[in-house]
Amino acid sequence: MKKLILIALASLSIISCRKDDDNYNSKSPFEGTWTLSKNQILDGKDDQILFSNNQLECSYKRTCVFVGETIAITHFKSEYSGLPCVINNIENGKFSYDDASKKITFKFDNQFGQYSESHYIKLLSNNEMQLIDSNYQYDYNNDGIADKYIMIFNK
């Protein structure tokens, strides 16, 4: 009986080491292709949804592809109403993430030089990422408090 218990404990320790190794080698939670699915405006006081819009129009569609520390954002457009979306432009750059502040920063180079933008992560799961647009400084519901613009992406 004691021998059986020792074997069981040894097996558990091997399994737990493998689990630690898997976590250590796991990919970044950002890794993959994310598609903008919805924009929302949340009340600055209590995060109640003031506005929600599914991204159906080509001019709002975009995908973000994260690989390692790089990002490629593809913006779409439609030449005429009812025609399929086509690629408008692609921005390639790098990103960094500060887990303590939940801040993600994108850095891009374009014909005018280098620029960066930062957003805060409201939610990050295996299949959903919600970014708070840090440049949004509007009071959508006119209550005297700046509201939050949220971009919701899905894998």
Side-chain angles (χ1 to χ4, degrees):
M1 184 71 169
K2 285 183 184 181
K3 199 176 205 181
L4 185 59
I5 292 172
L6 288 174
I7 291 171
L9 288 174
S11 297
L12 284 175
S13 67
I14 290 170
I15 291 169
S16 68
C17 287
R18 278 193 203 133
K19 186 97 172 131
D20 291 343
D21 290 343
D22 289 346
N23 288 339
Y24 179 77
N25 293 323
S26 67
K27 292 181 180 179
S28 159
F30 297 102
E31 195 86 16
T33 301
W34 297 86
T35 302
L36 181 63
S37 61
K38 186 184 294 187
N39 289 330
Q40 292 182 333
I41 297 175
L42 303 183
D43 190 301
K45 284 189 292 191
D46 59 13
D47 280 352
Q48 293 294 315
I49 297 173
L50 301 174
F51 173 81
S52 186
N53 182 14
N54 291 334
Q55 297 308 317
L56 302 175
E57 294 181 36
C58 287
S59 60
Y60 294 105
K61 288 188 178 188
R62 70 179 58 130
T63 60
C64 300
V65 179
F66 291 86
V67 178
E69 294 178 357
T70 65
I71 183 169
I73 301 176
T74 303
H75 301 267
F76 294 89
K77 68 177 182 176
S78 177
E79 298 297 327
Y80 299 102
S81 179
L83 289 179
C85 295
V86 295
I87 294 174
N88 186 31
N89 73 325
I90 299 173
E91 296 178 284
N92 292 298
K94 295 191 177 276
F95 79 96
S96 59
Y97 178 64
D98 178 17
D99 193 41
S101 66
K102 303 289 187 215
K103 184 178 181 179
I104 189 167
T105 302
F106 304 106
K107 293 182 182 176
F108 301 101
D109 289 316
N110 64 18
Q111 67 268 25
F112 305 110
Q114 190 177 68
Y115 73 98
S116 65
E117 61 183 62
S118 296
H119 303 289
Y120 292 93
I121 302 288
K122 181 173 180 2
L123 173 79
L124 180 61
S125 70
N126 289 333
N127 59 0
E128 186 172 326
M129 174 173 59
Q130 296 183 7
L131 300 180
I132 302 170
D133 186 343
S134 61
N135 297 316
Y136 187 83
Q137 300 295 318
Y138 302 103
D139 182 7
Y140 183 82
N141 60 351
N142 295 314
D143 66 354
I145 297 171
D147 298 310
K148 299 174 190 168
Y149 186 80
I150 309 296
M151 296 171 284
I152 301 173
F153 292 84
N154 296 106
K155 267 190 183 176

